[in-house]
Structure formats: structure tokens, C-alpha cells
């Protein structure tokens, strides 16, 4: 049940984490140039990681 609640919080946060993920990806691209082919997968993985982090934070704190 705890996993379901955490994933529920995370799915809602996916929409809100798109803008911060874009900014983080731009920052990474400035410091370490990312090939255009890897730009979207990096951004999507950051969106998922941020959403899971916020979901865990909401669940346990």
C-alpha cells in the first residue's frame, strides 16, 4: 500500500517537475555539452527522478 501511495503522489508531480527538469538539463548542457540525441532522454529521466523524490518526500515527511 505504501508503494501505491508513493507512486500516486509521484504521478501527480510529473506535470509540475517538467519545468525544473528543463532548467536542470539546460544547466547540465552548459557545463557538459550533451549530444542532441541524448537531450530528451536526460530530461525525461530527471523528470521521473524529481517526481519520485517529491513523492517520497510527501509520503514519509
Amino acid at each position: 500500500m505504501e508503494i501505491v501511495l508513493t507512486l500516486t503522489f509521484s504521478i501527480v508531480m510529473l506535470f509540475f517537475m517538467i519545468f525544473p527538469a528543463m532548467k536542470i538539463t539546460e544547466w547540465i548542457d552548459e557545463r557538459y555539452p550533451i549530444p542532441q540525441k541524448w537531450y530528451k532522454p536526460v530530461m525525461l529521466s530527471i523528470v521521473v527522478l524529481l517526481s519520485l523524490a517529491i513523492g517520497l518526500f510527501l509520503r514519509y515527511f
Side-chain angles (χ1 to χ4, degrees):
M1 190 64 175
E2 292 181 16
I3 294 173
V4 173
L5 286 174
T6 303
L7 290 176
T8 303
F9 291 141
S10 298
I11 289 172
V12 173
M13 294 310 296
L14 278 173
F15 300 108
F16 297 108
M17 291 296 118
I18 292 172
F19 183 72
M22 288 189 316
K23 290 297 182 181
I24 291 170
T25 307
E26 288 175 5
W27 179 78
I28 292 171
D29 190 36
E30 289 174 1
R31 294 184 57 98
Y32 310 104
I34 302 172
Q36 190 66 26
K37 176 181 171 183
W38 287 96
Y39 195 82
K40 285 186 182 180
V42 168
M43 187 181 67
L44 290 174
S45 63
I46 291 174
V47 167
V48 170
L49 290 175
L50 286 175
S51 298
L52 285 174
I54 297 296
L56 287 170
F57 177 77
L58 289 173
R59 175 66 181 115
Y60 292 109
F61 291 107

